[in-house]
Amino acid sequence: MEGKPSESGIAAMADHYKNFDPTTFFQNFVSPEESRLDKKDSLMSWKLSCLHRAFSEGDMKGDLLVDIGSGPSIYQVMSACEVFNKVILTDFLEVNRNELKLWLQNEGGSKMDWTPFLKKVCELEGRSPSEWTEKAARLRQVVTDVLPVDVHRPQPLALHALPPAGADCLVSAFCLESASPDLATFNRALGHIGGLLRPRGHLLLIGRLQENYYFVGPGVKIPVVPLNEAQVCDSLKENGFTLIRLEVYTVSQDETIGASDQERIFFVKAVKSLKVWKKR
Ligand SMILES: C[S@@+](CC[C@H](N)C(=O)[O-])C[C@H]1O[C@@H](n2cnc3c(N)ncnc32)[C@H](O)[C@@H]1O
């Protein structure tokens, strides 16, 4: 992969994130999805279906799953919590980690209503939507920690945050391309998070293709590395992952919102090969 990671670019990205507002993020990217959950062809339905399918295929097993760059979101671990006994959520920003903790505490402090999304995942699992309360309780039970993460560090989590063998599974949604100033930095960040995963562990990566920016607060525009499918596949290969499946969703005209120029989203299921295991 061409070019070198840019340290000044990374610092500039961190600066952009100083004004990230979790509530605006939720309003821009999560709330609008609620009314479209009944439609088979909607972005959130597609994401939840991809995650459901990945976790129900029976090949992803183990004890510990880590979600990298959770933001204030939990949709990405709603299927995972039925398969893994421990889930660690992570984010670069304290505001996002605090938001996650408010939801986990379940004391009415969280303003983010994930109920429709929990109901949708229950449906995908063949359960009654009314069982969403059980799913919420299960999720709150399996999340053991909410930790700081920086994908640009060779060791993205604190030293002894994970067992020495690493996590059994990693999920990361819309994080690497939104945190990296260029392709070389994206590629290196993927290698960093890959170091957290045990050999033969699975990675589920969701991200944007050919996106240039998104808004996370009034006037807070964050640049995004515009990736294509080939670059995602090359980066996975270079970092020792074997691709199981890459799926692409094209955002429809009526789903496009002014908060980003996203048009296509990828979902990757990959497995870490034994050969290039990097010592953490
Ligand atoms: C677009 S949000 C995605 C949030 C969530 N995964 C979702 O799908 O809703 C991007 C996230 O990347 C996080 N981020 C930014 N810089 C990062 C870094 N250097 N390391 C890890 N995460 C970072 C941000 O704090 C933000 O929560």
Side-chain angles (χ1 to χ4, degrees), residues 17 25 69-71 73 75 91-92 96 150-152 173-175 179 214:
Y17 275 97
F25 177 79
S70 308
S73 304
Y75 71 88
D91 201 70
F92 184 63
N96 284 335
D150 185 349
V151 297
H152 301 308
F174 305 102
C175 173
Y214 75 114

Side-chain angles (χ1 to χ4, degrees), residues 10 13-14 17 20 25 29-30 44 47 67-76 90-96 114 148-153 156 171-180 189 193 206 208 211 214 216 222 224:
I10 291 170
M13 289 303 295
Y17 275 97
F20 187 103
F25 177 79
F29 295 100
V30 182
M44 185 59 92
K47 282 188 287 190
D67 178 43
I68 302 290
S70 308
S73 304
I74 53 162
Y75 71 88
Q76 67 280 16
T90 70
D91 201 70
F92 184 63
L93 298 177
E94 194 178 9
V95 279
N96 284 335
W114 292 99
V149 67
D150 185 349
V151 297
H152 301 308
R153 292 177 186 263
V171 173
S172 188
F174 305 102
C175 173
L176 299 185
E177 75 281 9
S178 316
S180 304
I193 67 165
I206 306 178
R208 308 170 171 92
E211 189 182 42
Y214 75 114
V216 287
I222 304 215
V224 177

Side-chain angles (χ1 to χ4, degrees), residues 44-52 75 117 120-121 124:
M44 185 59 92
S45 301
W46 177 80
K47 282 188 287 190
L48 295 178
S49 299
C50 287
L51 287 159
H52 165 67
Y75 71 88
F117 307 96
K120 178 73 187 178
V121 179
L124 290 169

